[in-house]
Amino acid sequence: MSSVAKQKSSIRARIQVVGGFLTNMVMPNIGAFIAWGILTALFIPTGWFPNEKLAEIVGPAITYLLPLLLASTGGRMVAGNRGAVMGAIGAIGLIVGSDIPMFLGAMIIGPLGGWVIKKFDKSLENRMPAGFEMIINNFSIGILGFILMVFSYYVIGPVIEGANAFVTTSIKAMVAGGYLPLLSLINEPAKVLFLNNVIDQGIYYPLGMQDTLSSGKSIFFTVASNPGPGLGLLLAFSFFGKKAAKKTAPGAIIIHFFGGIHELYFPYVLMKPLTIIAMIAGGMTGITVFNLFHAGLVAGPSPGSFISYLALTPKGSFLGMLLGVLAATIVSFVITSIILKLDNKSDDEENFSSSLEKSKAMKAEGKELLNEIITDAPAATEINKISFACDAGAGSSALGATTFRKRLQKKNISGIEVKHFRIEDVPDDSDIIVVHKDLYERALLRHKGKNIVTISNYIDDPSLRELLETVEKNKGTEA
Amino acid sequence: MNEEGLNIMLSHFLKNNTKFLQSVPSWEESIQIAAQPLLDQGAITTAYVQAMIDNVHKNGPYIVIVPGIAMPHAKNTGNINATGMSFLKLETPVLFPEGKEVSLLFVLAAEDSTGHLELITDLSSMLIDEDVMVKLLQVSSETELISLIEEVE
């Protein structure tokens, strides 16, 4: 491998790791988004079956439930259950500290909370007086959580509010200058950060209503509510996405396009941030076409469903309206597809190289790859828990774990949990999973996205030696 | 863990549970023969022997823990009555799948996932030491094996 190629692959690996982190934070919570989306589409005053009582859930769910879930998942990914608790504690601070749904903030504060408690636990490791573990564990989260709550209330919340104010000002400037298609540059990122209602109802609807009074319709009602770009994105995910994202996208289409709940596609953009380009391009195309045909709506389409679009289109605007939505869909579909395709391709390469590595795990190249895995993945920059796995969880994994523990002991490295499990029982907060190469596929199936080290020798494998060295190095730099 | 150096558990379990043979026709038979002492004592049933063989068929020869040494085992699905270990040494190595040569077999029967850990620990401290490994591959009688085990560390 030339050094240039190596550098390239490591940058790519890094981007993928960050992307994977976002995906893992969002994906487990998609169900909650869908539940919220269905509820909203059905019961809000402009929904299918308006119901004042049930609609009361809508606000608290998007303000509290969804961000808290994201923050909790983010925290858990960094520091297990203690991290999840810290993440949620931090998120409530910024939720209350601001007036808009705090998704982006939650995705920052969650992992941050996890990181804080992880660092703290690390510093106390092996220094806890016996018998005080429980009280220390609880009060450490209690006190650090308290600080984090106040911090996020006063610092992070306002920062994101500030970003919101900036968005509002920029939009007003662009409208004043008449650069309508450029609005997408701000609209789309702002939407994905869940500012959609703020910009739509706070800026575009008032502008639109003024227009309507004078000319009977307005393009401003469409600039941020066009369901086309989201549809294109979700279609692309339905065809070219992977695994869970691919399977959930079709359902999201129905809720998004017909139900008008744009929030459904936001997670997909958040997990593959590059697709924001597709959204912007789609949005611009839509605005350009609407503009060209002088199309507009008579009122704000809330929710931004295709059906409310049709209902609010005045005579003479239908062609422009349909074309605008269609063009936006096509553009965002094509660009998202390209992005996903490129991404898949590099993933394939990655898989290919990892299976290559598997087949010659004993060779020196394996060393480099393992190093890369260990240094690149955020969850494993610190190795606290190594789990050996095998079929029964009693024989070879126990032998491997025992031997590795002994080696750690010999090097006077402490504070690392090395245990053995059945593949299916390996706990999620393991930083490294060690498994025989024959069982790699099964381990992968069960523990996708984890650092799996394959070995072919439970006692003395090059990969294990490498792992030992890495652990030793990590401990060394911390001391 | 026995820092004292005597691998008491392992030698205790292996006593009268060892076999030394010239060769065996197949890896399946090596497992059957190696497991025979445990079977005779009633520590395991024939179903467990089959389970160990099936395990290799299904999951590959991962039980070959280091080159030359296999630790046949499987999940306890009610086929194990008591934790135990038996040993087989072959003069001519037998070929496991993927061309893995094996001349030592430590059959492991683990009643649950913790009771046998001392046994595993002992075995681990033997295999971790390269000098011991070399000697282990050369033992020719139970007495030799036991004294080698007991002199480790």
Side-chain angles (χ1 to χ4, degrees), chain A residues 173-181 291:
Chain A
M174 281 191 192
V175 170
Y179 311 115
L180 291 185
N291 217 355

Side-chain angles (χ1 to χ4, degrees), chain A residues 400-420:
Chain A
T402 309
T403 310
F404 199 76
R405 263 202 303 274
K406 268 191 197 157
R407 291 199 196 278
L408 289 177
Q409 228 170 36
K410 271 197 187 140
K411 297 212 180 251
N412 278 321
I413 300 172
S414 57
I416 294 184
E417 197 181 331
V418 182
K419 283 195 172 158
H420 61 277

Side-chain angles (χ1 to χ4, degrees), chain B residues 19-26 30 33 88-95 102-105 139-140:
Chain B
K19 280 177 180 264
F20 295 81
L21 289 179
Q22 195 57 45
S23 64
V24 292
S26 69
S30 74
I33 295 168
L88 170 66
K89 162 93 196 274
L90 300 166
E91 279 310 312
T92 317
V94 66
L95 223 51
V102 168
S103 48
L104 295 185
L105 290 93
V139 292
S140 56

Side-chain angles (χ1 to χ4, degrees), chain A residues 23-66:
Chain A
T23 306
N24 289 339
M25 193 164 10
V26 173
M27 213 59 224
N29 299 310
I30 289 255
F33 280 89
I34 294 180
W36 179 85
I38 295 173
L39 182 98
T40 307
L42 291 181
F43 300 132
I44 57 173
T46 45
W48 297 102
F49 309 103
N51 182 321
E52 229 171 90
K53 290 252 174 263
L54 289 174
E56 283 172 12
I57 306 173
V58 171
I62 196 167
T63 311
Y64 300 104
L65 177 68
L66 299 180

Side-chain angles (χ1 to χ4, degrees), chain B residues 120-136:
Chain B
I120 295 266
T121 307
D122 292 351
L123 188 59
S124 148
S125 51
M126 303 212 31
L127 302 179
I128 207 168
D129 186 330
E130 276 174 34
D131 297 341
V132 179
M133 271 266 284
V134 174
K135 285 186 197 157
L136 192 61

